[in-house]
Structures are given as C-alpha cells and as structure tokens.
C-alpha cells in the first residue's frame, strides 16, 4: 500500500478541528481533576467520619471502574433520569471526575510529606486552621506534587480518544470520520499517532526538568 500525501493534505482540516477539541478537553479536564482532587484530599482529612466515609466510597468506586463505563453511564443512562448534557461536556466531566480520584492520592501524599515541624510551628504561632492550610501546608504540598500531576495530564491526553465512543470529534473521532468519508485509514491514523507522540514526549521531558528543579 502506497502512502498517499494527498490524503494527508485532505485530512489536515479534520486534524486541526480535532486538535482544538482535544486540547480543550485536556485543559478543562485537567483543571477539574486538580481542583476536585484537592477537595477530595481535604475532605478525607476531616475528623468527621460521616464526611470521610462517603467521600472514600465515591472516590474508590470511580477509581475502580473503567472510564469507558463511566462515559456510557453519564451519556446514555443519565438522560433516562432527565439529566442530559452535550457529548463534549460529558467527556470533560467524566475525565475530570475519573482523574480527580488519582490526583486526590497525589495531594494526600504531598500533604503527608510536609514535615511535622511545619504543623507544630503553625500551632505554636496560633495560626487559624484556614491560615495554616493556605499559607503553610498547601504551598509546600502542591510544590512537591506538581511533577506527579503533570504525569496525569499526559495520561488524560492519551485517554481523550475514548471520548470518540460518545460522538466527541476529538483527534481520533476526526480520523474515524475522515476514514469513513474517504475510505483512507492508514494516513489519518498514522498522523494522529505521530501527533500524540509529538505532544506527549516533549511534555514528559518538561515534567522531568520541572521535577529536577523542584527537588533542589
């Protein structure tokens, strides 16, 4: 089979449309997973069992079920209960929720890595609880976990093609659409694969450099 450069040229408008959607999903999904993961981590540290227990059950359930199953549930089952969202909104929410259960563990590890002396110093200074968290604990914890959070961003990027199953036209969805319309499969799929490598590999190098800088 010969490589058809004309097919590549014809595919590029599809590619750019898919790339925009993919990056939008990645940005919004990452922000949601970071924010919600921090909320989960803080709730798991509350002394109230009736807060910790439901949060633990929910996050464990989400973490232990496949993202694909969660996508189908949100997109096909919730409408039967009167909750209907667009495919893109559903995809962003599913990825953000799913990965928030992993970023929660990252935040917990970062918080636990803060030296005990920092907690004792905040107590000795009689700092309010909110001030202790915002000015002493979280700045140190988040600084430690940035590289790990970056790794999950790359993982989210590689999971965006799953959203194709709920009709989101991200990169893989656009490749499938082009292939069905033009009966060309090799070129679009190859271009998509190369694109993911060109995005993921430099990002992984950046994360490694950031990690070396932060651990100094």
């Amino acid at each position: 089979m010969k490589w058809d450069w004309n097919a590549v040229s014809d595919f590029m408008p599809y590619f750019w449309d898919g790339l925009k959607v993919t990056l939008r999903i990645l940005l919004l999904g990452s922000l949601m997973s970071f924010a919600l993961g921090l909320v989960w981590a803080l709730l798991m540290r509350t002394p109230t069992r009736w807060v910790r227990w439901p949060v633990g059950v929910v996050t464990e359930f989400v973490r232990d079920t496949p993202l694909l199953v969660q996508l189908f549930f949100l997109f096909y089952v919730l409408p039967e209960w009167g909750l209907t969202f667009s495919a893109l909104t559903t995809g962003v929410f599913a990825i953000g929720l799913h990965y928030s259960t992993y970023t929660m563990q990252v935040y917990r590890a970062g918080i636990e890595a803060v030296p005990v002396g920092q907690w004792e110093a905040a107590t000795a200074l009689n700092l309010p609880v909110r001030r202790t968290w915002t000015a002493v604990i979280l700045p140190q914890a988040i600084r430690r976990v940035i590289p790990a959070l970056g790794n999950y961003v790359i993982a989210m990027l590689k999971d965006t093609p799953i959203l194709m199953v709920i009709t989101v036209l991200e990169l893989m969805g656009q490749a499938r659409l082009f292939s069905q319309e033009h009966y060309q499969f090799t070129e679009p799929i190859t271009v998509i694969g190369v694109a993911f490598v060109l995005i993921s590999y430099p990002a992984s190098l950046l994360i490694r450099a950031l990690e070396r800088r932060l651990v100094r």
Side-chain angles (χ1 to χ4, degrees):
M1 180 180 294
K2 293 183 179 180
W3 180 264
D4 189 350
W5 287 105
N6 290 328
V8 175
S9 178
D10 293 340
F11 174 63
M12 293 315 294
Y14 294 77
F15 172 83
W16 293 118
D17 288 343
L19 181 62
K20 292 175 187 177
V21 175
T22 295
L23 294 180
R24 187 184 310 169
I25 294 168
L26 182 62
L27 175 62
L28 297 177
S30 297
L31 292 176
M32 180 180 172
S33 69
F34 294 164
L36 192 55
L38 181 58
V39 171
W40 296 142
L42 294 177
L43 289 177
M44 288 297 290
R45 293 187 63 88
T46 60
T48 307
R49 183 181 63 179
W50 298 111
V51 173
R52 295 197 314 271
W53 185 82
V55 171
V57 170
V58 170
T59 54
E60 191 67 29
F61 177 81
V62 172
R63 188 165 55 247
D64 291 343
T65 54
L67 176 57
L68 183 61
V69 173
Q70 295 166 18
L71 279 170
F72 272 81
F73 181 86
L74 293 172
F75 193 66
Y76 293 108
V77 177
L78 286 188
E80 297 183 3
W81 298 350
L83 298 173
T84 303
F85 304 97
S86 69
L88 182 60
T89 300
T90 301
V92 169
F93 181 79
I95 283 185
L97 176 63
H98 185 80
Y99 276 94
S100 71
T101 61
Y102 293 96
T103 59
M104 175 191 75
Q105 300 295 344
V106 173
Y107 285 123
R108 287 180 64 183
I111 292 170
E112 292 172 0
V114 175
V116 176
Q118 298 294 312
W119 297 89
E120 295 173 346
T123 302
L125 293 172
N126 199 29
L127 293 179
V129 174
R130 179 178 298 179
R131 180 67 175 170
T132 298
W133 279 102
T134 58
V136 180
I137 305 304
L138 287 182
Q140 297 182 63
I142 292 175
R143 182 175 182 271
R144 297 169 185 268
V145 303
I146 286 177
L149 294 177
N151 289 328
Y152 280 116
V153 172
I154 296 176
M156 279 185 266
L157 171 66
K158 292 187 289 186
D159 269 350
T160 55
I162 298 179
L163 272 59
M164 177 181 64
V165 301
I166 60 169
T167 72
V168 176
L169 292 178
E170 39 64 63
L171 281 172
M172 193 63 196
Q174 290 287 359
R176 184 180 67 171
L177 178 63
F178 177 86
S179 298
Q180 291 173 342
E181 291 178 351
H182 297 81
Y183 301 100
Q184 297 275 1
F185 294 90
T186 303
E187 291 80 8
I189 300 300
T190 303
V191 169
I192 294 302
V194 172
F196 273 105
V197 171
L198 292 178
I199 297 173
S200 299
Y201 185 65
S204 65
L205 294 179
L206 178 61
I207 291 170
R208 293 175 194 171
L210 184 61
E211 184 174 12
R212 287 194 296 269
R213 183 178 181 84
L214 291 177
V215 297
R216 288 179 180 176

